[in-house]
Amino acid sequence: MPCLQSESLECMDPDRTTPGPSSAAGTEESLRRETVTAPLIVKDMSWFFSPLWNPRSKTRSTRFEDGVKSKQVEAWLDDHSDFTSSYFLRRASSVSGPQAESPLPRVPRSSSDHSDLLRKGHHHLRPSSPINSSRMSALMYRPVPLSSHLSAPPDCMDRFSPEVLVNHCPCSPRSPRSPFPPHSSRFSFSPCLSRIHPSSPDIPHSPHPLYPTATNSALCGHGEYCPWMMEFLRGGLSSMGSVGELCQGAVLHTGELLAAECCCLSLVKKDCGGSNSLKEVVAPTALGCLSEGILYSHAHLELLKGIMECAVATGSPMNLRDMSGDSRFGLDDDQSSKIRTVLIVPIKNHRGEVVGVAVMINKRNCCNGSVSVFTNMDEKVLSNHMDVLGLVLDNVQLYESSRQEAKRSQALIEMAQVLSKKHCSFDVLLSKMAATIMPFTHAQYCTIFIPGKQTLDENDQISFSNVIHLECEELGSTCQIYRRERDISDIDQSHALQSMVAMETLKRSQISEETITSLVCCPVRNERSANVIAVCQLMKKWSIDSDDMEAFNRYDERLLEDLALYCGLAMQYVKAVLITEERRASIEVTQEVLAYHITAAEQEIQALLEASIPSAESLHMLDFHFSEFGLPEERSTQATIRMFLDLNLVQDFNIDYKTLCQWVLSVRRGYRNSVPYHNWSHALSTAQSMFAMLMATDQLKTIFSRLEILALMIATLNHDIDHRGVNNSYIERTQQPLAQLYGHSSLENHHYNLCIFILDNTGSQILSSLSAEDHRAVLHMLKRAILATDLNVYMERRTEFFNLAKKSRVNWKSEKKKDLLRSMLMTASDLSAITKPWPEQKRIANLVTMEFFAQGDKEKQEFKIKPIDIMNRENSPRLPYMQVEYIDDICYPLYKAVSRLFDTCSPLLAGCKKNRANWMHLVMEAQEENCENTSCVTLKTQLEE
């Protein structure tokens, strides 16, 4: 253990006993009460190799921070000089006489120490030399950790021998350690042990301390450090080399420490099926001069393998001290002569999983080569080294995993980049994606097999119709990848066919004199149908360090699986692109057909162009009670032209007159004549209501710009174009393409898009003279205005408008307020049928009812549900009552607000009131006939309000 400045550490040997004089015990007690428990700073790793420290143990008998201060040790030694003097005299005499024949000082062995490893000292004692002053200087100034159990017997105090202090290996069981490296200034004088009291008669005093030399740390066993461990601390993972070199260094180091004749190490390998097997990393290696010629036969190796598998299965160390006498093995004479003692220790990671096993065979002595058994302390030393190795291997595995994942991420990014770019063909796309992983996997060949639409040949066997074959050619430190045109019959398809049939990754690795096979195949699946649409194959992986071929590992398999996934995405992407291109072409054809049929005939355009347009007065266009009923079609188009002329839109925006005529005729053709209400007549009525409000209200002409007025007139004419006679709810419920295309306000969005289509159609481009900015502004206002005719939008925004109407003065300069006003005027124009004279209103109500009841009939038939009241044909007698509700909830509040803001629009409110009264009269008549008292009460209340 290291000596840490003013603190000393407690003896770590749990087997130590402390019988001694009572005075020593008393002093021990006094010292124990004064022990300093301040946290210590360990400056090297020597404590880690103590056999009493085990990272797996949950409890420990001693604590590293327990100890006493050096001043207390010095005081105790001064007070007990007789004990100190007699101890060192006794130890000095023990190394003379009987051991004179040994060139190395011999330390008495015990069953659990490692003194045989510690005989390589630099300070040799002559057999009969007395203790001189220089030797006593070493005794006095050598840094020695002092236990608080000071009354220990001589055998426990052997560690204080000068030879042991100098030569103890830091990895041996009972070696004292210093935290300071060689030549450290802090090592000049040990604070752990002061000079022995000068009053001792037999021990002269020398004031010169002894410093450690450079050879003290040259090798493990000659200094305070373990070179194997310190190599890790200095170099880190980057200097460890391969896993084989790492394991070899560890097992050879520990083999020398434990004086083993032979050592070996194997790691646990997990195959694809999840079962474990041992892979030899370090073959049985002879250690020591007496074991150089030992050769182990196949039977010996199988025996060792069985013992190692047992250790892996149990996860516990095995110390077999007498193999010949162990009935479990039944060794023959040859085996028992070569394998006598075996020490096996499993290697575990931080999760406690066994990742390998280390084996030491036949313990020896360094001097005469005689065989002894491995002790418990040997087992602990080996276990501690293998614990460190396990942690290091775990870190190496994590490092390698992170490195491989970084490579995989880079490959995935490159494949994603390839996939995101446009390529001239599908084969080029797959070739570039396959070329991205070949440098990462070091594969010489990469082949993608693509089955045809008919995957069965004449013999009902699966076959491929196309192949993409790439080859990698190394050019120095780089590699060049080529695509080779190969016929499908020239390539071995057997493994790809197996992978396709099994629908799983297939790996083959066979390297022998006859055949060399190293490949991996992975199927490419269609995520939608789960069918195999291709097979990716890698062949011949070459080693980086040599020209030898090696097997593909799990990382290569994952990269190939990633390639297969991206190939599947690429195939789906290409197919999607092809489908999109086909649909785009189909849409263009459809638009051409639509443009042809929606464009008016040249004769119609010429007739409208040459026609004399009646005045607005003659057509009653300025009247809020205008009715398009009975108006001929040619008159309706002429009335539309008149509105644009009287608003000066043709002049202000330089609209070509023929273009205007074609546009009006095209819009009229865009409405379906089969729809009872939402047809061209309704569009003309809506546009006329907007025209009447604009012409009658000078304030509106001031509020709105010329561009806004143009947008409002175009929007009113197109706000219901191509209406199908059903509402948004029905379209969404039947999941029609319009609902899938737009999601909300499906009809209104369709009206807007068809409006833009006609405006962009050749010959109907009435906005062609606008600047780009004005054109964008008009389109924006068009969309806002047409979407405003959705009653759901009106209900959401009307409260804000009603609050504005209550104000005495409104500033309309804000774009938000102007947009709100445009929206409300669009709704007022759209609902203006409720303000028409009673005959017109009654006729229109019947048309609306006919359209609504037709939708209700469809809902009954298709969905087997009861429609809402206004669409239920069974509620036709209640039409007057429903009309009154419609006026009170929707129409009346709007026209009231518009009339309050603009007095000139009051005829709309007046017409709404008159029609409500007429509908109410019908309700009263129905009540007299049917005596529906509940309805009477409700309607009377509403009339009073």
Side-chain angles (χ1 to χ4, degrees):
M1 292 304 298
C3 179
L4 304 174
Q5 296 187 2
S6 62
E7 291 88 2
S8 62
L9 302 180
E10 196 176 67
C11 180
M12 296 178 55
D13 193 346
D15 300 328
R16 174 176 176 176
T17 58
T18 59
S22 61
S23 59
T27 306
E28 173 191 357
E29 184 64 25
S30 64
L31 287 175
R32 189 175 299 159
R33 288 194 300 266
E34 297 177 4
T35 298
V36 179
T37 59
L40 304 179
I41 303 176
V42 179
K43 301 187 180 298
D44 67 2
M45 293 296 297
S46 57
W47 58 270
F48 190 86
F49 294 94
S50 171
L52 300 179
W53 185 89
N54 191 337
R56 303 175 190 168
S57 62
K58 298 181 180 179
T59 60
R60 299 179 179 90
S61 59
T62 60
R63 297 186 303 165
F64 292 117
E65 66 271 17
D66 291 346
V68 293
K69 292 184 177 180
S70 60
K71 292 183 179 180
Q72 296 171 335
V73 175
E74 181 179 356
W76 189 89
L77 292 174
D78 290 342
D79 294 339
H80 301 80
S81 58
D82 295 339
F83 168 79
T84 307
S85 176
S86 61
Y87 168 74
F88 283 108
L89 288 175
R90 183 171 64 255
R91 293 305 301 141
S93 61
S94 64
V95 298
S96 61
Q99 295 181 351
E101 69 281 355
S102 175
L104 298 177
R106 182 176 182 85
V107 180
R109 290 179 55 95
S110 66
S111 60
S112 60
D113 67 6
H114 282 69
S115 56
D116 58 336
L117 300 178
L118 311 174
R119 299 177 180 178
K120 303 177 182 180
H122 290 266
H123 304 281
H124 297 169
L125 290 177
R126 291 187 300 272
S128 60
S129 61
I131 299 179
N132 55 31
S133 60
S134 61
R135 294 291 303 276
M136 290 313 302
S137 297
L139 293 179
M140 291 184 290
Y141 295 100
R142 179 65 57 187
V144 178
L146 185 63
S147 172
S148 60
H149 304 279
L150 297 178
S151 56
D155 60 338
C156 183
M157 297 298 289
D158 285 351
R159 68 192 66 205
F160 294 103
S161 172
E163 292 79 18
V164 176
L165 293 178
V166 174
N167 301 321
H168 251 308
C169 171
C171 306
S172 61
R174 305 171 66 178
S175 60
R177 294 167 176 83
S178 171
F180 309 116
H183 304 290
S184 171
S185 59
R186 300 185 62 183
F187 199 83
S188 60
F189 188 85
S190 172
C192 293
L193 184 62
S194 301
R195 292 177 293 179
I196 299 179
H197 199 278
S199 60
S200 301
D202 300 321
I203 305 178
H205 166 62
S206 176
H208 305 289
L210 181 64
Y211 299 94
T213 62
T215 58
N216 289 78
S217 58
L219 295 173
C220 185
H222 295 81
E224 302 296 335
Y225 295 92
C226 174
W228 178 72
M229 183 58 192
M230 297 308 296
E231 185 67 24
F232 295 151
L233 298 181
R234 285 195 298 267
L237 288 175
S238 60
S239 65
M240 288 182 179
S242 65
V243 173
E245 294 173 353
L246 177 67
C247 295
Q248 184 178 15
V251 72
L252 293 181
H253 174 74
T254 50
E256 290 291 348
L257 288 180
L258 303 185
E261 289 185 357
C262 183
C263 61
C264 61
L265 187 144
S266 298
L267 294 180
V268 175
K269 180 182 179 182
K270 183 173 292 186
D271 57 19
C272 300
S275 59
N276 295 331
S277 61
L278 284 175
K279 179 181 180 182
E280 187 180 78
V281 178
V282 180
T285 305
L287 302 172
C289 59
L290 297 180
S291 302
E292 292 179 357
I294 294 180
L295 295 177
Y296 293 103
S297 63
H298 178 71
H300 294 111
L301 298 180
E302 288 297 321
L303 174 63
L304 292 176
K305 183 178 178 181
I307 298 174
M308 288 189 288
E309 290 176 351
C310 181
V312 171
T314 60
S316 302
M318 298 175 62
N319 191 350
L320 306 176
R321 301 183 179 182
D322 185 9
M323 292 288 293
S324 60
D326 199 324
S327 59
R328 294 176 296 176
F329 304 105
L331 303 182
D332 54 27
D333 295 338
D334 179 62
Q335 290 177 331
S336 60
S337 64
K338 290 188 177 182
I339 302 178
R340 293 177 290 275
T341 59
V342 178
L343 176 60
I344 309 101
V345 170
I347 306 171
K348 298 184 179 180
N349 58 18
H350 72 283
R351 295 181 297 274
E353 301 170 351
V354 178
V355 298
V357 59
V359 180
M360 299 293 158
I361 305 172
N362 297 344
K363 181 163 182 172
R364 58 180 169 79
N365 281 343
C366 293
C367 50
N368 53 19
S370 60
V371 177
S372 61
V373 298
F374 293 103
T375 64
N376 294 336
M377 288 303 172
D378 293 333
E379 178 183 327
K380 291 180 180 179
V381 170
L382 181 59
S383 296
N384 287 341
H385 276 79
M386 293 305 106
D387 287 337
V388 175
L389 180 61
L391 296 176
V392 173
L393 288 176
D394 212 15
N395 290 335
V396 170
Q397 183 180 9
L398 292 175
Y399 171 75
E400 182 65 17
S401 298
S402 63
R403 193 174 65 86
Q404 294 290 346
E405 287 299 326
K407 289 170 53 179
R408 178 170 176 259
S409 299
Q410 182 181 351
L412 293 178
I413 292 174
E414 292 181 6
M415 284 192 288
Q417 291 175 346
V418 171
L419 184 60
S420 64
K421 296 178 181 178
K422 188 175 182 180
H423 302 279
C424 58
S425 68
F426 177 60
D427 290 354
V428 172
L429 173 60
L430 292 183
S431 299
K432 290 184 177 181
M433 293 180 64
T436 58
I437 72 165
M438 292 184 69
F440 294 100
T441 59
H442 305 287
Q444 186 176 359
Y445 304 110
C446 180
T447 309
I448 300 177
F449 298 89
I450 302 175
K453 295 182 179 179
Q454 186 68 28
T455 58
L456 298 179
D457 58 13
E458 299 176 354
N459 300 323
D460 295 335
Q461 294 180 350
I462 299 176
S463 61
F464 298 104
S465 62
N466 189 20
V467 63
I468 299 174
H469 184 73
L470 282 78
E471 296 183 7
C472 180
E473 179 180 344
E474 294 188 2
L475 300 174
S477 60
T478 62
C479 62
Q480 187 69 36
I481 299 174
Y482 303 93
R483 181 182 175 186
R484 306 293 187 188
E485 295 296 335
R486 300 285 297 274
D487 189 79
I488 187 67
S489 59
D490 298 336
I491 300 178
D492 184 11
Q493 310 174 32
S494 59
H495 298 98
L497 290 173
Q498 294 179 30
S499 178
M500 183 176 181
V501 173
M503 299 183 66
E504 62 183 14
T505 302
L506 178 67
K507 184 179 177 181
R508 292 288 184 268
S509 179
Q510 182 178 358
I511 302 176
S512 62
E513 297 180 357
E514 295 81 9
T515 60
I516 299 178
T517 304
S518 176
L519 63 84
V520 58
C521 297
C522 181
V524 180
R525 293 183 177 87
N526 187 338
E527 295 297 333
R528 295 183 177 180
S529 61
N531 295 327
V532 176
I533 56 179
V535 177
C536 298
Q537 176 178 286
L538 294 176
M539 286 187 63
K540 292 190 177 181
K541 177 177 181 177
W542 296 100
S543 175
I544 306 176
D545 303 327
S546 63
D547 294 335
D548 299 333
M549 191 170 65
E550 60 183 23
F552 290 99
N553 55 33
R554 179 54 186 159
Y555 293 107
D556 300 328
E557 293 182 38
R558 292 185 62 186
L559 276 176
L560 185 62
E561 291 170 354
D562 294 334
L563 173 63
L565 176 62
Y566 273 83
C567 286
L569 294 176
M571 290 183 174
Q572 294 182 18
Y573 169 74
V574 170
K575 290 181 180 179
V577 170
L578 293 176
I579 293 173
T580 302
E581 294 295 335
E582 292 175 358
R583 290 181 177 176
R584 183 178 299 160
S586 176
I587 290 173
E588 291 178 357
V589 172
T590 303
Q591 288 178 343
E592 290 178 2
V593 174
L594 176 61
Y596 172 79
H597 287 283
I598 207 171
T599 302
E602 187 64 29
Q603 295 83 356
E604 290 181 294
I605 299 174
Q606 195 65 29
L608 181 59
L609 183 64
E610 297 173 356
S612 176
I613 306 300
S615 64
E617 290 79 7
S618 63
L619 294 173
H620 307 286
M621 299 295 294
L622 299 176
D623 190 356
F624 283 103
H625 297 155
F626 167 82
S627 175
E628 77 285 354
F629 180 71
L631 197 67
E633 281 192 355
E634 60 273 11
R635 284 291 183 182
S636 65
T637 55
Q638 293 173 7
T640 304
I641 297 293
R642 172 52 59 191
M643 289 188 289
F644 275 77
L645 292 173
D646 288 1
L647 287 171
N648 294 324
L649 298 177
V650 178
Q651 300 87 334
D652 292 344
F653 297 103
N654 195 22
I655 301 175
D656 181 72
Y657 190 70
K658 183 179 180 180
T659 302
L660 178 64
C661 294
Q662 180 176 332
W663 176 77
V664 172
L665 292 172
S666 298
V667 172
R668 188 190 71 180
R669 292 171 70 92
Y671 282 90
R672 302 188 180 193
N673 295 328
S674 59
V675 178
Y677 173 66
H678 292 95
N679 49 33
W680 168 246
S681 296
H682 170 63
L684 178 62
S685 175
T686 303
Q688 185 274 333
S689 297
M690 179 65 71
F691 172 76
M693 286 189 288
L694 291 173
M695 295 297 292
T697 310
D698 293 336
Q699 187 180 357
L700 288 177
K701 295 181 181 179
T702 304
I703 294 173
F704 295 136
S705 65
R706 302 299 299 164
L707 208 61
E708 289 174 293
I709 293 174
L710 174 64
L712 286 173
M713 292 306 300
I714 295 175
T716 52
L717 284 170
N718 289 270
H719 80 283
D720 274 333
I721 191 169
D722 195 38
H723 200 287
R724 283 84 188 286
V726 292
N727 59 11
N728 287 325
S729 176
Y730 179 84
I731 289 176
E732 294 173 1
R733 187 175 297 174
T734 54
Q735 297 182 353
Q736 294 185 16
L738 284 180
Q740 298 176 357
L741 185 60
Y742 302 113
H744 66 92
S745 299
S746 302
L747 281 172
E748 288 74 20
N749 277 290
H750 175 61
H751 303 328
Y752 165 74
N753 285 331
L754 190 55
C755 169
I756 299 303
F757 176 78
I758 296 175
L759 287 173
D760 291 338
N761 193 25
T762 303
S764 301
Q765 300 168 339
I766 61 175
L767 303 178
S768 59
S769 61
L770 297 179
S771 64
E773 183 179 356
D774 289 345
H775 191 271
R776 286 194 299 269
V778 168
L779 296 186
H780 175 71
M781 289 185 288
L782 272 175
K783 186 172 185 178
R784 297 283 296 176
I786 293 177
L787 291 180
T789 58
D790 185 351
L791 285 182
N792 291 328
V793 178
Y794 160 71
M795 297 300 291
E796 291 175 359
R797 304 189 66 184
R798 70 174 189 170
T799 303
E800 182 181 359
F801 181 72
F802 294 165
N803 293 334
L804 283 178
K806 294 177 182 179
K807 296 181 179 180
S808 58
R809 186 181 181 88
V810 180
N811 184 1
W812 297 104
K813 293 183 180 180
S814 169
E815 176 58 31
K816 181 179 178 180
K817 293 180 181 178
K818 290 169 68 175
D819 177 70
L820 179 62
L821 178 59
R822 291 194 301 266
S823 299
M824 293 299 112
L825 292 183
M826 284 294 299
T827 304
S829 301
D830 189 21
L831 305 180
S832 61
I834 202 67
T835 67
K836 302 298 181 180
W838 173 244
E840 182 71 7
Q841 156 62 194
K842 194 173 183 180
R843 182 188 68 84
I844 294 175
N846 289 330
L847 293 175
V848 174
T849 304
M850 185 186 305
E851 189 174 303
F852 284 177
F853 287 169
Q855 177 179 329
D857 294 341
K858 292 180 181 178
E859 291 178 351
K860 283 182 180 180
Q861 183 179 358
E862 296 177 10
F863 308 127
K864 309 300 180 184
I865 60 173
K866 181 179 179 181
I868 59 177
D869 291 344
I870 61 174
M871 296 185 180
N872 191 352
R873 193 178 295 276
E874 297 175 359
N875 290 333
S876 57
R878 300 182 67 248
L879 175 62
Y881 175 80
M882 291 186 292
Q883 282 295 100
V884 172
E885 283 187 332
Y886 168 67
I887 293 173
D888 292 343
D889 295 340
I890 305 297
C891 304
Y892 180 77
L894 174 61
Y895 292 117
K896 181 179 179 181
V898 172
S899 300
R900 181 176 296 177
L901 289 171
F902 311 104
D903 294 338
T904 53
C905 297
S906 57
L908 294 173
L909 178 62
C912 181
K913 288 182 177 180
K914 289 180 181 180
N915 287 326
R916 184 190 186 281
N918 292 328
W919 287 113
M920 189 64 197
H921 178 70
L922 295 179
V923 170
M924 299 300 292
E925 291 179 354
Q927 286 180 349
E928 291 177 0
E929 294 179 2
N930 302 323
C931 297
E932 296 180 353
N933 297 327
T934 55
S935 299
C936 287
V937 173
T938 303
L939 290 176
K940 283 183 179 179
T941 303
Q942 293 176 350
L943 282 173
E944 290 175 357
E945 293 177 353

